């Protein structure tokens, strides 16, 4: 999902009147944007704007970069400038709409989406976002109208049915909601959200066993959604499966440690099974989040009394009574605790308060008083069938009830699912990326392997390069300071090359700087010169193959996703298998020169899968794993390749090994290819 908005919007033609150097800077800037180097891309767009402020493209793309950096005001302002220069660009309205949503300007966003739909009336993304804006404004009639149009355009669009089901729930029509969720399941039974959505309806209807079954399927397909575990815990609680409910709260809190409902409800259940000390820990956490939560404080007081901390219990009870002076259960339990610490006078005062209130009630002086009595059944609410309360419920009578989300919170499922922004959805089934030589690497909490090659290590120890060269497939985007550093290094290396034009390493060093600032053409030129100067220098072949591959990736996205516009068809450049063969040829040279360089086999296998030569790809993945038995990404990609060939069992074995070695997305894919009934 991370490149979805760029796929949809990035590939617009540059004005024909642009000068060559401006075109080149725009190309580099769009490369940087596509490869998520947002700070760098903004600097390039600034250069184009300074040179030709009448062009709309640099404003539009700079606005898109700012969106990714959460600069919503800046994104809106840039899209406004783009629209002033060209009012017919659908993407500018879409991005401005997203920026306005992030600033809670839903009316402005609706205006943008309606305008964009005038130019592109069958754009699913626009209808999706327009619908969500109407849901945010509680305009369900307009939302239903949008969804009906959307589902006419795209009758297999699962999200549309889920949203329409949510609207039906808001209108208290569970039958219509259930029908839409059933349709969504028929369309895509491997989407965890469809099962989780139907489970919510079944929970509302009291069909707890059926709800748990649906939530089992949702958990099976996605283990990273705390809300699914919270809901399954509720279904289990209603079936008196307290241990199962607590396990689900444990899982939810592993995913989302600060989840209020998880801690509060787990605390209640721990108290019910006698795990008092750990229940106190849960309520301590709740009170850290919400210090004025009187129900959590009162429950903690009860638990302190259970564990013999009567002074602590009295302190908690007193705080609650000060806030709710008519809450008689508080007086009852405080009297008990005061007796334990020898405060008979205080205990008698509490008991007198209870007696007086009971007498007053009998005399009808407080006929409308809703406070609890000291009677145990009244104070716990056991006479009520409902065992849950909304989070916003402040009635102290309900302090022992399980908490559920308020309607306003529960209905936020799709409200943040605006198309065009990065989303944490189901893992998409795609290969692990190519390996590269670079100075910068993203840190991973899971994968901590240090990638090593003897020659690269010797090159680092020679201190010829300005920094240590890393072998990684997790590149890190540059900060503004790093961007400036590499521009300065390009100038320095240019001077060095002028004084020593036959030095391949100096060409290679400058090529790396050009690559890091996304100037692929100059990087390839320097690498080619380095190879001509020293045809045994395999890192130059390796990096040239990688950069050529990245150019093809960008061009392929342009060819595929901008093909619907007339201008893109006019500028279309077809990508053929021969283009990938050129990349493969460079990797062939690397393997010939350095047969132990495992990353060349891995990258070549990735290229072979793009050429649909899956069996040859498996041979290369086999070789990579032979050279490095812990090569997680090779197991992952080989597993996918086996699945493409229909060898699911082999594929799942490889994916399992990849997950064991740290590629956590492998588990999600294993579940997709494992039948739900197993």
């Amino acid at each position: 999902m991370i490149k979805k908005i760029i796929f949809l919007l990035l590939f617009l033609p540059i004005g024909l009147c642009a000068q060559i150097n401006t075109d080149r800077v725009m190309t580099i800037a769009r490369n940087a944007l596509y490869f998520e180097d947002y700070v760098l891309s903004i600097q390039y767009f600034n250069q184009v704007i300074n040179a030709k402020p009448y062009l709309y493209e640099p404003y539009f793309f700079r606005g898109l970069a700012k969106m990714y950096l959460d600069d919503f005001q800046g994104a809106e302002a840039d899209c406004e400038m783009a629209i002033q220069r060209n009012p017919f660009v659908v993407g500018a309205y879409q991005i401005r709409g997203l920026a306005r949503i992030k600033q809670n300007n839903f009316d402005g966003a609706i205006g943008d989406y309606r305008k964009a739909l005038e130019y592109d009336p069958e754009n699913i993304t626009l209808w999706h976002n327009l619908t969500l804006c109407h849901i945010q404004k509680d305009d369900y009639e307009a939302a239903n109208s949008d969804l009906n149009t959307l589902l006419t355009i795209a009758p297999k669009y699962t999200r549309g049915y889920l949203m329409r089901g949510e609207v039906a729930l808001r209108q208290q029509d569970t039958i219509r909601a259930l029908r839409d969720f059933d349709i969504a399941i028929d369309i895509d039974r491997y989407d965890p959200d469809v099962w989780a959505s139907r489970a919510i309806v079944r929970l509302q209807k009291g069909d707890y066993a059926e709800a748990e079954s649906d939530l089992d399927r949702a958990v099976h397909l996605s283990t990273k959604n705390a809300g699914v575990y919270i809901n399954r815990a509720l279904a289990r609680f209603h079936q008196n499966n307290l241990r199962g409910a607590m396990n689900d709260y444990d899982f939810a809190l592993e995913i989302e440690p600060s989840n209020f409902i998880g801690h509060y409800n787990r605390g209640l259940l721990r108290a019910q099974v006698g795990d008092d000390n750990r229940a106190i820990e849960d309520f301590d956490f709740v009170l850290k989040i919400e210090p004025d939560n009187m129900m959590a404080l009162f429950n903690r007081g009860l638990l302190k009394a259970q564990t013999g901390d009567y002074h602590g219990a009295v302190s908690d009870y007193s705080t609650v009574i000060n806030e709710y002076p008519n809450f008689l259960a508080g007086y009852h339990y405080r009297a008990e605790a005061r007796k334990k610490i020898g405060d008979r006078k205080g205990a008698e005062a509490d008991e007198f308060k209870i007696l007086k209130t009971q007498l007053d009630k009998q005399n009808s002086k407080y006929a409308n008083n809703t406070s609890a009595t000291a009677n145990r059944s009244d104070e716990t609410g056991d006479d009520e069938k409902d065992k849950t309360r909304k989070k916003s419920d402040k009635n102290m009578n309900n302090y022992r009830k399980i908490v559920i989300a308020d309607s306003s919170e529960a209905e936020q499922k799709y409200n943040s699912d605006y198309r065009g922004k990065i989303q944490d959805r189901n893992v998409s089934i795609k290969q692990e990326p190519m390996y590269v030589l670079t100075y910068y690497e993203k840190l991973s909490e899971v994968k901590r392997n240090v990638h090593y090659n003897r020659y690269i290590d010797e090159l680092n120890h020679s201190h010829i390069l300005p920094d240590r060269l890393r072998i990684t497939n997790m590149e890190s985007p540059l900060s503004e300071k790093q961007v400036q550093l590499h521009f300065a290094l390009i100038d320095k290396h240019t001077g060095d090359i002028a004084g020593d034009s036959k030095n391949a390493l100096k060409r290679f060093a400058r090529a790396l700087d050009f690559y890091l600032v996304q100037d692929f053409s100059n990087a390839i030129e320097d690498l080619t010169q380095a190879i001509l100067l020293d045809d045994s220098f395999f890192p130059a072949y390796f990096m040239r193959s990688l950069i050529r591959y990245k150019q093809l990736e960008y061009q392929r996205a342009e060819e595929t996703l901008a093909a619907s516009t007339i201008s893109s068809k006019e500028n279309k450049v077809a990508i053929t298998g021969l283009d990938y063969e050129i990349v493969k040829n460079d990797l062939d040279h690397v393997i010939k020169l350095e047969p132990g360089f495992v990353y060349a086999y891995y990258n070549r296998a990735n290229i072979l899968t793009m050429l649909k030569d899956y069996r040859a790809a498996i041979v290369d993945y086999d070789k990579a794993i032979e050279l490095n038995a812990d090569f997680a990404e090779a197991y992952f990609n080989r597993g996918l390749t086996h699945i493409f060939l229909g060898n699911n069992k082999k594929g799942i074995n490889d994916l399992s090994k990849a997950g064991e070695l740290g590629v956590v997305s492998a588990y999600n894919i294993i579940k997709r290819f494992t039948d739900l009934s197993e």
Side-chain angles (χ1 to χ4, degrees):
M1 297 300 292
I2 195 163
K3 296 188 180 74
K4 181 162 187 173
I5 185 61
I6 301 178
F7 279 178
L8 291 170
L9 303 173
L10 189 56
F11 308 110
L12 301 178
I14 301 298
L16 296 177
C17 61
Q19 294 179 2
I20 297 299
N21 61 339
T22 308
D23 284 346
R24 185 176 182 80
V25 174
M26 273 297 295
T27 300
I28 297 170
R30 290 167 66 179
N31 277 338
L33 180 60
Y34 178 79
F35 291 108
E36 303 170 36
D37 221 334
Y38 306 124
V39 173
L40 175 62
S41 71
I42 288 173
Q43 295 197 24
Y44 282 124
F45 292 131
N46 289 342
Q47 293 178 33
V48 180
I49 288 169
N50 289 334
K52 296 188 175 180
Y54 50 83
L55 296 176
Y56 82 88
E57 294 98 329
Y59 286 103
F60 166 63
F61 289 119
R62 190 176 70 177
L64 181 56
K66 288 178 179 179
M67 272 294 297
Y68 278 106
L69 294 170
D70 290 339
D71 178 6
F72 306 124
Q73 287 185 337
E76 181 180 2
D78 275 348
C79 288
E80 178 69 30
M81 298 294 281
I83 289 167
Q84 287 177 12
R85 286 155 177 76
N86 186 345
F88 305 106
V89 180
V90 171
Y93 293 103
Q94 182 180 346
I95 298 304
R96 189 172 69 175
L98 285 168
R100 287 174 167 175
I101 286 168
K102 292 299 183 181
Q103 299 171 79
N104 295 317
N105 179 7
F106 297 108
D107 288 326
I110 287 169
D112 277 335
Y113 291 127
R114 289 202 182 283
K115 188 67 176 177
L117 284 165
E118 291 179 15
Y119 304 128
D120 191 359
E122 295 189 357
N123 187 310
I124 295 172
T125 297
L126 297 173
W127 284 109
H128 181 109
N129 290 358
L130 178 62
T131 299
L132 291 175
C133 288
H134 282 134
I135 292 175
Q136 285 280 19
K137 289 173 59 62
D138 297 332
D139 187 351
Y140 304 132
E141 183 178 346
N144 274 319
S145 176
D146 294 340
L147 287 164
N148 290 336
T149 303
L150 171 56
L151 292 172
T152 300
I153 296 167
K156 298 294 185 182
Y157 185 58
T158 309
R159 297 284 133 193
Y161 293 103
L162 294 184
M163 287 191 292
R164 194 167 70 178
E166 183 194 352
V167 172
L169 282 179
R170 289 173 176 238
Q171 296 177 308
Q172 309 300 315
D173 189 344
T174 55
I175 294 175
R176 185 158 54 92
L178 199 56
R179 184 169 61 245
D180 277 330
F181 295 148
D182 286 342
I183 294 171
I185 288 171
D186 288 340
I187 294 171
D188 186 1
R189 65 195 295 266
Y190 293 103
D191 183 345
D193 286 345
V194 301
W195 299 100
S197 297
R198 190 172 73 176
I200 290 172
V201 182
R202 288 177 162 175
L203 283 171
Q204 292 182 359
K205 294 177 66 180
D207 298 332
Y208 301 119
E210 292 85 351
E212 182 179 359
S213 177
D214 279 350
L215 290 163
D216 286 343
R217 286 168 167 78
V219 167
H220 184 88
L221 291 165
S222 176
T223 59
K224 295 299 181 183
N225 187 336
V228 173
Y229 288 103
I230 294 289
N231 286 338
R232 190 171 69 175
L234 181 61
R236 288 175 166 178
F237 168 75
H238 278 290
Q239 298 173 84
N240 296 317
N241 180 4
L242 301 188
R243 293 290 181 185
M246 281 193 290
N247 286 339
D248 275 339
Y249 288 130
D250 288 341
F251 284 124
L253 291 169
E254 284 181 16
I255 298 165
E256 189 180 331
S258 61
N259 188 288
F260 171 91
I261 290 176
H263 280 288
Y264 187 96
N265 289 350
R266 188 174 68 176
L268 287 179
L269 297 184
R270 282 175 167 175
Q272 286 191 40
V273 300
D275 192 355
D276 296 333
N277 288 315
R278 292 208 298 165
I280 288 172
E281 291 175 5
D282 275 327
F283 287 117
D284 284 342
F285 190 91
V286 169
L287 289 164
K288 188 182 297 183
I289 299 172
E290 295 186 5
D292 58 348
N293 189 307
M294 293 298 109
M295 292 196 197
L297 190 64
F298 188 69
N299 277 302
R300 189 178 70 175
L302 294 173
L303 289 161
K304 285 181 175 178
Q306 284 287 109
T307 57
D309 181 8
Y310 299 112
H311 287 283
V314 168
S315 175
D316 284 349
Y317 296 147
S318 297
T319 302
V320 174
I321 290 168
N322 289 338
E323 186 72 21
Y324 294 95
N326 293 321
F327 177 50
L328 298 191
Y331 293 100
H332 170 78
Y333 285 108
R334 190 171 68 176
E336 294 294 318
R338 281 176 164 174
K339 288 177 185 177
K340 298 289 186 180
I341 61 176
D343 182 8
R344 299 199 59 83
K345 184 177 179 180
E348 289 171 359
D350 285 340
E351 290 172 342
F352 179 75
K353 172 67 175 178
I354 295 168
L355 180 61
K356 182 176 183 301
T357 302
Q358 289 175 331
L359 290 172
D360 288 340
K361 287 188 69 175
Q362 290 173 7
N363 293 329
S364 300
K365 289 182 67 175
Y366 296 95
N368 296 322
N369 193 325
T370 58
S371 64
T373 70
N375 183 282
R376 293 293 295 275
S377 64
D378 288 342
E379 78 202 16
T380 60
D382 290 340
D383 58 330
E384 300 177 24
K385 293 182 180 179
D386 189 5
K387 299 194 292 184
T388 63
R389 68 174 178 87
K390 296 289 181 68
K391 185 182 174 185
S392 60
D393 182 359
K394 302 300 182 184
N395 186 344
M396 286 299 299
N397 289 333
N398 297 327
Y399 65 90
R400 281 186 175 171
K401 290 183 177 181
I402 290 289
V403 176
I404 60 175
D406 293 321
S407 298
S408 59
E409 290 182 88
E411 291 164 353
Q412 295 297 312
K413 184 172 184 61
Y414 305 106
N415 288 359
S416 62
D417 184 21
Y418 294 98
R419 297 306 193 199
K421 194 72 175 83
I422 298 170
Q423 299 169 45
D424 183 15
R425 283 215 158 277
N426 259 356
V427 178
S428 57
I429 299 178
K430 60 182 180 181
Q431 289 182 326
E432 284 291 290
M434 306 277 269
Y435 270 81
V436 62
L437 301 175
T438 181
Y439 302 128
Y440 305 105
E441 181 178 21
K442 286 181 183 176
L443 296 177
S444 170
E445 293 297 321
V446 180
K447 294 189 293 181
R448 299 180 181 275
N449 294 339
V450 176
H451 300 289
Y452 174 82
N453 173 264
R454 177 188 53 79
Y455 183 87
I456 300 300
D457 188 53
E458 291 173 359
L459 187 61
N460 284 330
H461 280 93
S462 71
H463 302 294
I464 294 171
L465 300 175
D467 201 350
R468 186 170 72 87
L469 205 56
R470 292 170 169 84
I471 309 169
T472 181
N473 72 337
M474 297 175 62
E475 294 181 84
S476 176
L478 274 61
S479 67
E480 187 171 352
K481 183 178 180 181
Q482 289 165 341
V483 169
Q484 298 304 328
L485 168 65
H486 287 285
F487 277 128
L489 284 172
I490 288 170
D491 292 339
K492 178 182 181 300
H493 291 314
T494 300
D496 292 343
I497 290 168
D500 186 3
S501 61
K502 302 298 183 182
N503 191 313
L505 277 173
K506 290 180 180 179
R507 289 278 186 178
F508 179 75
R510 190 173 69 173
L512 289 178
D513 293 315
F514 276 128
Y515 168 71
L516 288 168
V517 298
Q518 304 289 337
D519 188 345
F520 292 166
S521 296
N522 275 325
I524 288 174
E525 174 63 25
D526 268 345
L527 291 168
T528 301
Q529 290 299 318
I531 289 167
L532 291 173
L533 291 168
D534 182 359
D535 61 4
S536 67
F537 185 53
F538 78 87
Y541 287 104
F542 184 75
M543 282 303 296
R544 190 171 69 174
S545 72
L546 184 280
I547 296 171
R548 283 173 167 169
Y549 160 75
K550 283 200 167 188
Q551 286 182 317
L552 291 174
E553 183 184 355
Y554 177 87
Q555 291 171 24
R556 185 172 61 172
E558 178 176 315
E559 176 188 296
T560 302
L561 294 160
S564 60
T565 65
I566 294 173
S567 54
S568 67
K569 289 175 183 176
E570 291 172 350
N571 292 281
K572 182 175 176 180
V573 178
I575 297 172
T576 68
L578 290 175
D579 295 298
Y580 286 106
E581 284 288 351
I582 293 171
V583 177
K584 177 180 170 294
N585 288 340
D586 274 344
L587 291 168
D588 291 342
H589 277 93
V590 176
I591 291 168
K592 182 178 179 181
L593 292 167
E594 182 72 10
F597 194 61
V598 62
Y599 311 100
Y601 293 100
Y602 170 87
N603 281 10
R604 189 171 71 177
N606 282 8
I607 296 299
L608 287 166
T609 62
M610 293 172 191
L611 291 168
K612 310 298 183 185
D613 192 351
Y614 297 124
R615 298 190 187 282
I618 286 175
V619 171
D620 271 347
Y621 288 132
D622 289 345
K623 183 63 177 179
I625 291 167
E626 178 189 324
L627 292 170
N628 179 1
D630 293 327
F631 200 161
E633 293 85 357
Y635 283 107
F636 183 90
N637 289 359
R638 189 175 71 176
L640 290 184
T641 308
H642 277 307
I643 288 172
F644 292 152
L645 290 170
N647 301 322
N648 281 21
K649 187 173 181 180
K650 285 185 177 180
I652 289 172
N653 284 339
D654 274 345
L655 291 169
S656 177
K657 183 65 175 178
E660 175 189 318
L661 292 170
V663 184
V664 294
S665 59
Y667 294 115
N668 183 281
I669 297 171
I670 289 170
K671 289 177 180 178
R672 290 196 192 186
F673 286 93
T674 303
D675 192 270
L676 290 173
S677 62
E678 290 183 2

